[in-house]
Amino acid sequence: MKPSLQRGDRIVLEREHFQNLLDALNKKGYQIIGPTLGEGSIIYGKLSCVSDLPIGWTDEQEGGMYHLKKRGDNALFGYTVGPHSWKNFLFPSVQQLLQAKREGKGFQVNRKREEIPKFAFLGARSCDIYAITIQDKVFIKGKFVDPHYASRRGDTFIVAVNCGKAGGTCFCVSMGTGPRADLGFDIAMTEVLKSDRHYFLVELGTERGAEIFQEIPYKNASEEERATANTVVENTAKHMGRYMNTDHIKDLLYRNYEHPRWNDVAERCLACANCTMVCPTCFCTTVEDTGDVPGGHAERWRKLDSCFNLDHSYIHGGSTRYSIRSRYRQWMIHKIATWIDQFGTTGCVGCGRCITWCPVAIDITEEARAIRKSEQAAE
Amino acid sequence: MINNIPEPMTPNVFRINKKYKETHDTFTIELEPTQGTDEFFFSPGQFNMLYVFGVGEAPISISGDPKNPKTLKHTIRVVGTVTKAMYRLKRGEVLGVRGPFGSHWPSENAVGKDVIIIAGGIGLAPLRPVVYQLISQREKYRKVVLLYGARTPEDILYTYDLEQWQRRFDIEIKITVDAAAENWRGDVGVVTTLIRKISFDPSHMIGMICGPEIMMRFTVAELQNCGVGKENIFLSMERNMRCGIGFCGHCQFGPVFVCKEGPVFNYECIENFFGTREI
């Protein structure tokens, strides 16, 4: 009989027992979602066994660039974040909200009953866990609760993986959101690869996280194993691909709504909305009402939208944000300034996706730096 | 689990009891709930999301009397697909209603003060409930003035109410139009010109403004010229809205959501970005 594990305990899971973790989650009824190879990148999908993970793969990321390549070892988590984020599952890009049918002169509204699996997110990075907590504020912590988000989010089991590698566009250290997971997880793992050993240092974040290990072989972590895992994450923190000075960033941007840099970035920005699609916190949606031709059936759909779309701000007479300058400005000032007033935190977690997936490599850290520098130069 | 949490995007079904034309491009509908309670309570300045079956939804301010919760009134200008479909609806047909949403005019702050209401065009619709409210408790306020600017005499809304209010001695009404034919005997000019024609105590007043943004910008400036403090100026903003409850992101106006913190804002809270173009 093993002594019972508790929240806060640190244990070691050997690589050969990793499958047991997946089995234990499956047994508890979780649908496991995690990183897997697809669409030429590392995306999130259903996992049933360890070999579904991108074993031995890594990614190279830079502004407007993403490449997969082989690592030369058998790391399970030797890459950073890809184009997907967990919002694909908690906040799907297309959702039916309602159906209605005509009855006499009136109509009857029915809610779509949706079977939502109990998700386990395996391999959630710290930045992305922060992103989930940010979307929680939007959808479940305010005056209104979004039942669709709430029901998907409800029982989600989160297996965090502390990053063992920083991506070329990562800046979680600047945003205070990583690379070590410090909140919102049930278990958090650090992958340690040595020439003769491959194991995971596991931190138990919740009671149910501890429970999962009841049927998984583990041993208590030694001082040395803890120290080694710490070194892995500390090393990642030292190699961030990007940096953003967030000192008084809200005031900086509030002062600079008319900065010439917005014209400069508008020359480059295609208003393609890629950045908002890959951003793990962007939540703008449009609501579409549809009706069938005979007029008896109607539906309401919610679809991911973007502040880069011209009709996002349309009111009779025209769009409020007509120029690309104003749309990029809206996005960036929202992300790192007005979001703070709205939700008490920035909307940026430093995951770098918007930089990697921008077809013209616009870099939010660079844009913020340019504005800050010009102010410093003027002083 | 999903079925335990209320769906805030579900409209309630209301029946159209009356529908009448106000001007050449505006009409009013009077609605009554078809299920549950027969009353609809709101505060002046709030809005509803109105849904036409199979067509779409639009945010429309509530323009009836808050003291008469049995009749929900909306005045609608026919400008887009949804409002056109609303115009085609007949008495006895139904609309979906979600709401009321948003902030309200600060009549509680106006007690013991002059109240200057300044409306442009259909901006009178969200202000009419507050006029009803002020009149019903007239003794609580000092001067009550309504300044109203319309494009032409044919665009003047609620002429029946305006005439009735004009007959009262305890409320001052001034109307101006941008352009008129020779038979118009009233004022011609923008609504801001009326501000100089009335007297009020700038240090003990509340200004409530609703109209096109450009009109509100000049009105705020004129009130400030008269010595009115920005903390006493309130205005109602309009932005694209897809949900009304802070989820869709469309109504962001600088740091605020018009659907949640607005539509009625204290000028002091938005002055830093109110004048910013394309914000």
Side-chain angles (χ1 to χ4, degrees):
Chain A
M1 179 89 186
K2 283 186 274 188
S4 69
L5 286 170
Q6 285 179 353
R7 200 161 74 91
D9 283 353
R10 281 173 170 78
I11 56 176
V12 167
L13 173 70
E14 296 294 337
R15 161 66 183 88
E16 70 242 43
H17 297 135
F18 200 88
Q19 180 64 40
N20 299 53
L21 172 61
L22 274 70
D23 295 341
L25 289 167
N26 267 325
K27 208 170 150 192
K28 293 258 181 199
Y30 289 107
Q31 183 182 101
I32 306 171
I33 309 289
T36 186
L37 286 177
E39 300 171 15
S41 55
I42 291 164
I43 57 175
Y44 295 140
K46 285 183 200 169
L47 302 181
S48 52
C49 56
V50 184
S51 60
D52 292 338
L53 289 166
I55 298 174
W57 286 94
T58 190
D59 51 22
E60 274 183 342
Q61 301 193 33
E62 252 312 319
M65 191 207 74
Y66 182 100
H67 279 308
L68 283 181
K69 75 176 199 197
K70 277 286 192 184
R71 275 175 64 98
D73 61 18
N74 286 313
L76 304 191
F77 298 100
Y79 38 83
T80 60
V81 293
H84 284 191
S85 68
W86 305 104
K87 86 174 178 185
N88 297 35
F89 299 90
L90 298 177
F91 177 55
S93 55
V94 178
Q95 268 183 299
Q96 192 184 79
L97 302 181
L98 301 167
Q99 294 184 339
K101 65 173 192 280
R102 201 174 269 292
E103 277 181 354
K105 279 192 171 174
F107 60 84
Q108 174 78 41
V109 183
N110 292 308
R111 287 171 67 171
K112 168 113 170 162
R113 282 166 192 272
E114 210 179 358
E115 279 306 316
I116 293 159
K118 223 164 74 164
F119 291 120
F121 293 161
L122 179 78
R125 307 299 181 153
S126 182
C127 57
D128 277 355
I129 296 174
Y130 271 89
I132 293 172
T133 66
I134 288 171
Q135 286 213 325
D136 286 351
K137 288 186 186 191
V138 177
F139 292 119
I140 53 184
K141 300 275 169 73
K143 185 178 166 198
F144 294 95
V145 172
D146 175 37
H148 307 274
Y149 181 88
S151 57
R152 287 167 170 270
R153 173 76 172 101
D155 295 324
T156 305
F157 189 100
I158 294 182
V159 181
V161 169
N162 295 324
C163 291
K165 163 189 184 278
T169 58
C170 286
F171 57 106
C172 63
V173 170
S174 305
M175 304 314 290
T177 56
R180 179 194 301 282
D182 58 3
L183 55 78
F185 58 83
D186 292 287
I187 62 180
M189 307 193 290
T190 309
E191 183 171 30
V192 180
L193 275 150
K194 291 186 160 180
S195 55
D196 55 341
R197 199 175 159 213
H198 185 180
Y199 67 96
F200 296 85
L201 194 285
V202 181
E203 182 187 351
L204 304 173
T206 60
E207 293 303 328
R208 66 176 184 174
E211 245 170 62
I212 279 286
F213 274 88
Q214 272 171 355
E215 291 172 40
I216 303 171
Y218 70 87
K219 68 178 190 68
N220 291 324
S222 68
E223 276 305 319
E224 193 202 332
E225 285 160 338
R226 289 184 187 210
T228 309
N230 277 341
T231 316
V232 169
V233 187
E234 279 161 15
N235 192 42
T236 306
K238 282 184 202 141
H239 290 90
M240 289 284 123
R242 293 290 193 277
Y243 164 75
M244 180 148 74
N245 178 358
T246 58
D247 188 32
H248 295 97
I249 193 144
K250 185 181 96 173
D251 302 325
L252 172 76
L253 291 171
Y254 280 8
R255 280 195 302 271
N256 284 293
Y257 265 99
E258 305 299 346
H259 196 280
R261 184 72 184 189
W262 304 119
N263 297 325
D264 183 272
V265 70
E267 295 276 306
R268 291 170 278 140
C269 176
L270 309 172
C272 72
N274 261 19
C275 50
T276 57
M277 299 294 111
V278 294
C279 175
T281 67
C282 268
F283 61 87
C284 280
T285 51
T286 186
V287 175
E288 282 184 13
D289 285 299
T290 61
D292 65 349
V293 176
H297 178 81
E299 293 175 359
R300 171 165 290 172
W301 291 81
R302 178 164 82 179
K303 297 181 177 174
L304 208 54
D305 198 356
S306 170
C307 54
F308 283 92
N309 294 335
L310 184 57
D311 60 359
H312 184 275
S313 63
Y314 183 84
I315 45 177
H316 58 90
S319 292
T320 311
R321 289 185 283 275
Y322 185 77
S323 67
I324 292 181
R325 169 186 182 269
S326 70
R327 283 179 260 156
Y328 185 85
R329 183 181 69 180
Q330 162 64 24
W331 176 73
M332 180 167 146
I333 294 189
H334 184 215
K335 201 77 349 194
I336 51 182
T338 54
W339 207 299
I340 297 169
D341 278 341
Q342 295 169 353
F343 301 105
T345 162
T346 70
C348 176
V349 295
C351 71
R353 287 182 177 92
C354 58
I355 307 170
T356 299
W357 298 95
C358 175
V360 293
I362 293 170
D363 180 342
I364 189 170
T365 65
E366 185 56 41
E367 297 311 312
R369 186 176 302 116
I371 290 174
R372 193 182 290 275
K373 266 193 178 164
S374 74
E375 267 201 355
Q376 286 161 349
E379 271 166 19
Chain B
M1 175 173 176
I2 188 166
N3 302 304
N4 302 336
I5 308 168
E7 167 56 271
M9 293 298 285
T10 304
N12 292 307
V13 182
F14 278 56
R15 185 179 301 108
I16 301 174
N17 274 341
K18 271 190 190 167
K19 180 186 160 207
Y20 39 89
K21 250 189 140 159
E22 295 282 1
T23 66
H24 61 101
D25 63 350
T26 59
F27 64 100
T28 295
I29 45 173
E30 298 188 5
L31 301 165
E32 169 188 79
T34 61
Q35 65 230 92
T37 166
D38 62 346
E39 293 180 316
F40 186 93
F41 293 97
F42 72 98
S43 300
Q46 290 192 294
F47 69 95
N48 280 326
M49 296 297 288
L50 298 187
Y51 166 68
V52 182
F53 181 84
V55 178
E57 205 175 40
I60 309 281
S61 61
I62 306 169
S63 51
D65 184 348
K67 284 264 170 60
N68 177 11
K70 287 189 190 293
T71 304
L72 171 61
K73 287 188 194 182
H74 283 284
T75 296
I76 300 160
R77 189 146 73 99
V78 183
V79 286
T81 318
V82 175
T83 49
K84 268 182 199 134
M86 284 174 191
Y87 183 64
R88 283 196 295 268
L89 293 172
K90 296 182 188 71
R91 217 185 109 206
E93 293 195 288
V94 298
L95 266 178
V97 176
R98 294 191 297 122
F101 297 128
S103 59
H104 56 86
W105 297 111
S107 22
E108 64 281 0
N109 299 2
V111 173
K113 297 178 187 163
D114 292 345
V115 187
I116 313 299
I117 295 166
I118 307 171
I122 197 160
L124 185 56
L127 281 164
R128 187 169 68 163
V130 81
V131 178
Y132 289 140
Q133 189 181 48
L134 296 175
I135 287 175
S136 76
Q137 299 171 303
R138 183 63 192 86
E139 68 288 352
K140 281 191 175 176
Y141 311 96
R142 296 202 312 201
K143 262 187 189 179
V144 174
V145 182
L146 170 64
L147 308 179
Y148 179 38
R151 240 176 290 174
T152 71
E154 290 70 42
D155 289 298
I156 295 173
L157 272 184
Y158 308 140
T159 44
Y160 45 93
D161 277 334
L162 292 168
E163 277 165 21
Q164 211 173 10
W165 296 337
Q166 264 165 337
R167 280 198 290 271
R168 297 177 67 112
F169 293 107
D170 57 358
I171 169 165
E172 192 178 347
I173 311 280
K174 286 206 180 295
I175 301 170
T176 182
V177 296
D178 295 344
E182 279 171 21
N183 58 353
W184 171 253
R185 285 154 190 275
D187 285 303
V188 175
V190 292
V191 72
T192 45
T193 58
L194 297 178
I195 296 171
R196 296 279 171 169
K197 296 187 177 178
I198 56 164
S199 67
F200 59 90
D201 179 351
S203 53
H204 290 93
M205 70 82 82
I206 292 287
M208 304 180 188
I209 316 167
C210 185
E213 234 169 281
I214 182 84
M215 165 264 178
M216 293 201 285
R217 210 170 300 158
F218 281 99
T219 305
V220 167
E222 185 63 21
L223 287 176
Q224 288 188 298
N225 286 343
C226 295
V228 179
K230 50 199 173 193
E231 69 281 7
N232 295 321
I233 301 173
F234 292 80
L235 38 87
S236 181
M237 292 296 301
E238 183 180 15
R239 282 293 182 271
N240 183 308
M241 284 183 197
R242 311 300 300 170
C243 76
I245 50 181
F247 293 159
C248 79
H250 282 248
C251 70
Q252 285 178 76
F253 166 45
V256 298
F257 287 81
V258 172
C259 72
K260 287 197 296 188
E261 286 97 344
V264 177
F265 291 99
N266 185 321
Y267 178 63
E268 195 172 21
C269 302
I270 58 169
E271 67 161 329
N272 288 339
F273 46 90
F274 177 64
T276 306
R277 283 179 64 109
E278 291 194 89
I279 194 165

